[in-house]
Amino acid sequence: MSSDFEVYEQDFGTLTAEITNKVGRIPKLSGDDKKCMVANVEKQMEEARELLEQMDLEVREIPLQSRGLFSTRMKSYKQELEKLDKDFKRSRIAYSDEVNLRNELLGDDGNTSEKQRACLLDNTERLERSTRRLEAGYQLTVETATIAGTQPTASPIRVMTPSAIIRWSSSTTFCFMATGTHL
């Protein structure tokens, strides 16, 4: 059983070496040559995926005592194929004339959308934290008014960017900035 795995490993190694070689040549090609090479690499990538599936099936049939070693090797092969896939995608478009011209014109470094996504996630988390602080402040005010023996005339929390205004009673208005500090 492990001999089949070793044969698959050798085939996978040979195939990934061929793919790496071709991926390195793709940016230098143009027109029909590039299209042909891209199609060829796509076929080889699919073959590599199929080999990984076969290897995975072989690992599942190996006894539990020795499966750990093979599982570790499988993880590394999967990572290698993912890296090859990323390199292949990059080589297809990153060096084409249109993309280079666009990048020069717009100053696009390729990470803009990732940076924007990270910034959006950070801002969303900050907004959620601020909302929780506002709600906690409102609860504290309601509890304080209840202990004092008065009933606050509570209206729903109204959020305005960049600050939030909370009205607890008709006579008193408290204002919190998005950071949660009292004014």
Side-chain angles (χ1 to χ4, degrees):
M1 193 169 340
S2 65
S3 64
D4 289 338
F5 185 85
E6 291 169 357
V7 170
Y8 291 141
E9 276 184 311
Q10 289 174 352
D11 292 345
F12 183 79
T14 303
L15 192 57
T16 55
E18 289 176 17
I19 292 171
T20 303
N21 182 14
K22 290 178 181 177
V23 164
R25 293 188 315 189
I26 288 175
K28 299 171 187 140
L29 299 174
S30 62
D32 290 336
D33 292 336
K34 186 173 185 174
K35 288 178 185 177
C36 181
M37 184 69 73
V38 166
N40 191 342
V41 170
E42 285 174 344
K43 288 177 188 175
Q44 287 183 321
M45 290 292 287
E46 186 58 35
E47 286 178 37
R49 285 186 195 93
E50 289 174 8
L51 272 173
L52 277 181
E53 288 176 15
Q54 290 296 322
M55 291 165 68
D56 194 37
L57 290 174
E58 289 294 323
V59 167
R60 290 180 187 174
E61 294 178 11
I62 294 175
L64 286 174
Q65 297 84 4
S66 56
R67 190 179 296 177
L69 173 66
F70 291 103
S71 295
T72 305
R73 287 159 68 179
M74 279 299 300
K75 286 179 186 176
S76 99
Y77 293 141
K78 287 178 183 178
Q79 290 172 347
E80 182 179 351
L81 188 61
E82 287 174 13
K83 182 186 177 301
L84 270 176
D85 194 36
K86 287 178 185 176
D87 291 345
F88 173 54
K89 287 177 183 175
R90 231 180 279 128
S91 73
R92 285 193 333 205
I93 60 170
Y95 299 104
S96 67
D97 294 337
E98 295 85 9
V99 173
N100 283 337
L101 291 175
R102 179 185 179 280
N103 288 345
E104 286 179 37
L105 179 63
L106 299 177
D108 185 18
D109 62 352
N111 293 327
T112 305
S113 64
E114 291 176 14
K115 289 177 185 175
Q116 289 174 343
R117 178 175 164 77
C119 185
L120 180 62
L121 288 173
D122 289 342
N123 289 337
T124 301
E125 290 173 359
R126 189 175 303 137
L127 181 61
E128 289 173 354
R129 284 192 308 267
S130 297
T131 301
R132 285 193 297 269
R133 278 191 230 127
L134 288 171
E135 290 171 347
Y138 177 74
Q139 282 299 109
L140 183 63
T141 303
V142 169
E143 291 172 11
T144 303
T146 303
I147 292 171
T150 61
Q151 282 294 343
T153 54
S155 63
I157 296 174
R158 296 184 184 119
V159 178
M160 300 175 161
T161 53
S163 64
I165 299 174
I166 303 174
R167 297 184 189 266
W168 285 292
S169 70
S170 59
S171 63
T172 310
T173 303
F174 296 90
C175 180
F176 292 86
M177 297 300 291
T179 60
T181 56
H182 296 276
L183 291 179

